[in-house]
Amino acid sequence: MKIIACVKRVPLTDALVKVSADGASIDPTGLVYSLSFYDDLAVEEALKTKEKLGGEVTVLTLGASDASKELRECLAKGADHATILLDPAWAARDARSTAKALATRILELGAELVFCGRVATDRDQSAVGTMLSSYLGWSCVTDVTKLELTATGGTAERETEAGIETLAFSLPAVITCDKGLNEPRLAGLKGIMAAKKKTIDETKPVDIESAVKVLKVELPAARKAGRIVGQGAAAVPALMDALRNEAKVL
Amino acid sequence: MTSILVFVEHRDGTPRRASLEALGAAAATGLAPIALVTGPGAAQAAAPLSAAGAKKLVVITGGDHYSPDGTAADIAAAVGAHAAVAFVAAASSAGKDLLGRVAGLLDCAPLADCTTFTCSGGVFTVQRPILAGKALVTVQSQSKVCCATLRSNTFAVATGGGAAEVTTVATKGGKVKVTGVAAKGDAKLDVKEAAVVVSGGRGLREAAGFKIVEDLAAAFGNAAVGASRAVVDSHWRPHSEQVGQTGKTVAPQLYVAVGISGAIQHLAGMRTSKVIVAINKDAAAPIFKVADYGIVGDAFEVLPALTEAVKQAKAAN
């Protein structure tokens, strides 16, 4: 089975962000990137699936050549191939153009199973995985915390506000991975050495115009300075008074 | 009149609050909202949805089980049939799941978790948080159909609507089916939708320490329990309760952070709460920088007293 893990490098979650001088983008200066948290889960699930059902794993990203650092880590963990759809202006792409470019490449690679993270922790859209499934005409299950796969389909669990949903689906499929699905492995020394010899394909994505116009990027207004109402349990009456009469939330 | 399609979640015909808010946001654009409902009891949602601003109701019938791709196809078909210029849903689990599917079917760019949603001269402009709320981006949709999910606890529910015209459409069906739902044990409120969130962190020392957090949440009545990443990673609490960048983003009326130091990833997930209260032993904890009111002290001393005070206040109301 040909399996693809779609990944994206994003600023570290502890990054402090600044707005660029143009007022319509994030200033990339000083930002340190890593794979999006949930994409690590996607890579792990792809590797686990290969170990169980056979096949090969391709790690696919759309980005700049810098992404080869993260892709090589995926190769070190056991991925067979890695591809970058090269776009130096990747940070400005919308979800639609990204999904269309990825879908085109996924079809070229002849894959049957695609794993994505639940969300990329930069744009926070949770959209590319589901969009891929619509463009490909495939099954899709999102936010998966438990997965059972066979060669033709599977069952999955996902968490909703109402509880845990169980879903049945057929292959080909796009699965988006949530925390709890697995514990990503670390690369071993042997894998790291082997990954050094593997090539990372770089290819141009299909050209699709953006359908979103960014007017402005801004930092949220700072919260009004608060105050310490007191120390220990003795401060509870003062807090209750503030919540009731000042904040009016009781 | 130009239409805007709203996917409405409901339970046996009672619409969910977050969906009514999405309907309210749709109505506020001045376009005519069409509410689409599916599943058992959907037709019974007609009265509450009419009252909350729906001009038309599309009831999807057939299909024994909810199908996410089937529902997306039903929504895309309804958008076409009514020449709707936008599709909106609550940024809930189902709404987020549908957004990309529908946007893909309509070949439009999706806009998730919007905190503003306006339409002027046929052009939709929204604001949405990125990087878990560390920045806000204002964008204009240039798609033929603006596809968006709207953050809960952000938009007002409309009132005083008339009777909506009801049409029934058979589902197109899909490849993925929900075969079961294991409901949460005790009808617990979801952390994203509760009016009050009481969150705990490392300061509670161990999993059992969350008892005092649960007690305070119970005293409020309309509260959910939240957790920091540290305690979720330690398996003290489930991931469904995690607030922050790799958990949920919440915006309740009142957020009480107990024994949470306030790492930037956590602050990103709760900083838009209306009122923030922090209780922490460490007066230098970053959580106090975003808190409206703070108590420096041991959670195990402060919380029982606060729980008692809240109980008394609730009893007096």
Side-chain angles (χ1 to χ4, degrees), chain B residues 170-198:
Chain B
T171 182
K172 293 182 169 301
K175 290 187 278 289
V176 182
K177 283 187 170 55
V178 173
T179 55
V181 181
K184 287 182 189 171
D186 41 3
K188 275 197 286 187
L189 273 170
D190 187 77
V191 72
K192 254 166 39 189
E193 292 179 351
V196 178
V197 175
V198 186

Side-chain angles (χ1 to χ4, degrees), chain A:
Chain A
M1 189 184 301
K2 286 203 169 161
I3 305 161
I4 291 180
C6 290
V7 300
K8 185 181 189 184
R9 66 203 300 261
V10 298
L12 289 178
T13 55
D14 60 0
L16 283 168
V17 300
K18 294 188 296 265
V19 177
S20 301
D22 67 4
S25 58
I26 295 291
D27 183 353
T29 317
L31 284 184
V32 177
Y33 292 84
S34 73
L35 272 200
S36 176
F37 173 84
Y38 299 97
D39 294 352
D40 257 338
L41 305 179
V43 171
E44 177 62 28
E45 204 59 25
L47 295 173
K48 275 174 62 185
T49 304
K50 172 185 139 176
E51 285 155 8
K52 187 180 163 211
L53 299 175
E56 51 184 39
V57 172
T58 301
V59 187
L60 178 62
T61 194
L62 190 153
S65 346
D66 313 11
S68 60
K69 177 180 160 284
E70 284 75 20
L71 292 193
R72 206 163 292 284
E73 285 166 16
C74 298
L75 291 170
K77 289 180 179 182
D80 302 284
H81 311 284
T83 295
I84 306 176
L85 298 179
L86 268 187
D87 181 0
W90 62 278
R93 284 181 89 103
D94 67 1
R96 171 178 163 273
S97 75
T98 301
K100 288 183 99 160
L102 291 172
T104 303
R105 186 64 187 160
I106 287 164
L107 287 177
E108 284 168 5
L109 291 168
E112 281 175 85
L113 189 56
V114 171
F115 291 100
C116 299
R118 175 177 77 85
V119 62
T121 56
D122 54 353
R123 298 280 191 80
D124 298 339
Q125 289 248 77
S126 287
V128 167
T130 43
M131 290 192 89
L132 274 178
S133 75
S134 287
Y135 285 123
L136 295 165
W138 292 8
S139 303
C140 177
V141 186
T142 57
D143 305 356
V144 171
T145 52
K146 197 172 170 192
L147 182 65
E148 296 289 343
L149 274 174
T150 67
T152 55
T155 58
E157 286 184 6
R158 66 189 292 270
E159 198 189 283
T160 72
E161 295 86 355
I164 308 285
E165 275 181 3
T166 306
L167 300 101
F169 61 94
S170 56
L171 292 184
V174 178
I175 305 291
T176 81
C177 305
D178 201 355
K179 193 168 177 174
L181 177 61
N182 57 46
E183 292 287 341
R185 70 192 67 187
L186 298 172
L189 187 60
K190 207 174 133 199
I192 292 169
M193 297 311 287
K196 285 185 177 165
K197 293 188 201 111
K198 292 183 187 167
T199 49
I200 292 173
D201 300 325
E202 295 190 354
T203 166
K204 251 183 81 73
V206 288
D207 211 14
I208 296 136
E209 228 172 279
S210 174
V212 175
K213 185 178 175 192
V214 178
L215 302 179
K216 191 178 180 186
V217 174
E218 62 199 298
L219 300 184
R223 288 188 73 94
K224 189 166 58 73
R227 65 171 202 270
I228 302 287
V229 296
Q231 316 279 324
V236 167
L239 174 62
M240 290 299 287
D241 182 61
L243 293 178
R244 189 183 292 116
N245 300 316
E246 239 177 74
K248 301 192 193 302
V249 288
L250 277 185

Side-chain angles (χ1 to χ4, degrees), chain B residues 8-289:
Chain B
V8 173
E9 295 165 62
H10 66 96
R11 190 168 192 156
D12 302 323
T14 304
R16 292 190 44 214
R17 165 96 194 169
S19 293
L20 292 178
E21 290 167 4
L23 184 58
T29 61
L31 302 169
I34 302 176
L36 183 143
V37 283
T38 182
Q44 284 143 45
L49 292 177
S50 300
K55 298 286 185 221
K56 286 183 187 170
L57 187 69
V58 176
V59 178
I60 304 295
T61 58
D64 308 333
H65 302 280
Y66 177 79
S67 167
D69 51 330
T71 302
D74 294 335
I75 291 168
V79 164
H82 296 274
V85 294
F87 154 63
V88 298
S92 60
S93 181
K96 281 182 174 172
D97 178 82
L98 287 168
L99 176 64
R101 298 178 193 264
V102 174
L105 293 174
L106 298 172
D107 196 20
C108 294
L111 301 166
D113 208 16
C114 302
T115 49
T116 71
F117 183 79
T118 59
C119 177
S120 167
V123 179
F124 288 89
T125 304
V126 309
Q127 189 175 63
R128 52 181 306 275
I130 57 171
L131 297 154
K134 286 179 202 160
L136 303 169
V137 54
T138 305
V139 300
Q140 212 174 63
S141 168
Q142 296 181 324
S143 296
K144 58 186 189 299
V145 180
C146 174
C147 297
T149 54
L150 309 180
R151 178 169 287 195
S152 56
N153 284 331
T154 306
F155 296 92
V157 176
T159 52
E165 172 199 325
V166 181
T167 53
T168 306
V169 180
T171 182
K172 293 182 169 301
K175 290 187 278 289
V176 182
K177 283 187 170 55
V178 173
T179 55
V181 181
K184 287 182 189 171
D186 41 3
K188 275 197 286 187
L189 273 170
D190 187 77
V191 72
K192 254 166 39 189
E193 292 179 351
V196 178
V197 175
V198 186
S199 279
R202 279 263 186 234
L204 294 163
R205 295 181 206 150
E206 56 178 335
F210 266 76
K211 172 80 169 60
I212 57 169
V213 168
E214 286 172 344
D215 288 347
L216 179 57
F220 278 113
N222 52 349
V225 172
S228 71
R229 177 173 174 173
V231 305
V232 172
D233 284 350
S234 304
H235 303 289
W236 295 2
R237 302 301 294 186
H239 181 230
S240 56
E241 292 179 359
Q242 186 184 323
V243 173
Q245 195 153 7
T246 53
K248 289 175 179 161
T249 302
V250 301
Q253 293 292 304
L254 175 62
Y255 187 89
V256 185
V258 184
I260 292 178
S261 64
I264 187 166
Q265 296 95 329
H266 187 81
L267 301 183
M270 45 63 87
R271 66 185 311 285
T272 57
S273 304
K274 186 165 171 260
V275 175
I276 298 173
V277 170
I279 297 158
N280 202 297
K281 268 199 300 204
D282 176 9
I287 191 78
F288 287 121
K289 292 210 173 68

Side-chain angles (χ1 to χ4, degrees), chain B residues 279-305:
Chain B
I279 297 158
N280 202 297
K281 268 199 300 204
D282 176 9
I287 191 78
F288 287 121
K289 292 210 173 68
V290 300
D292 299 285
Y293 307 109
I295 293 182
V296 179
D298 185 349
F300 291 94
E301 227 181 84
V302 178
L303 244 60

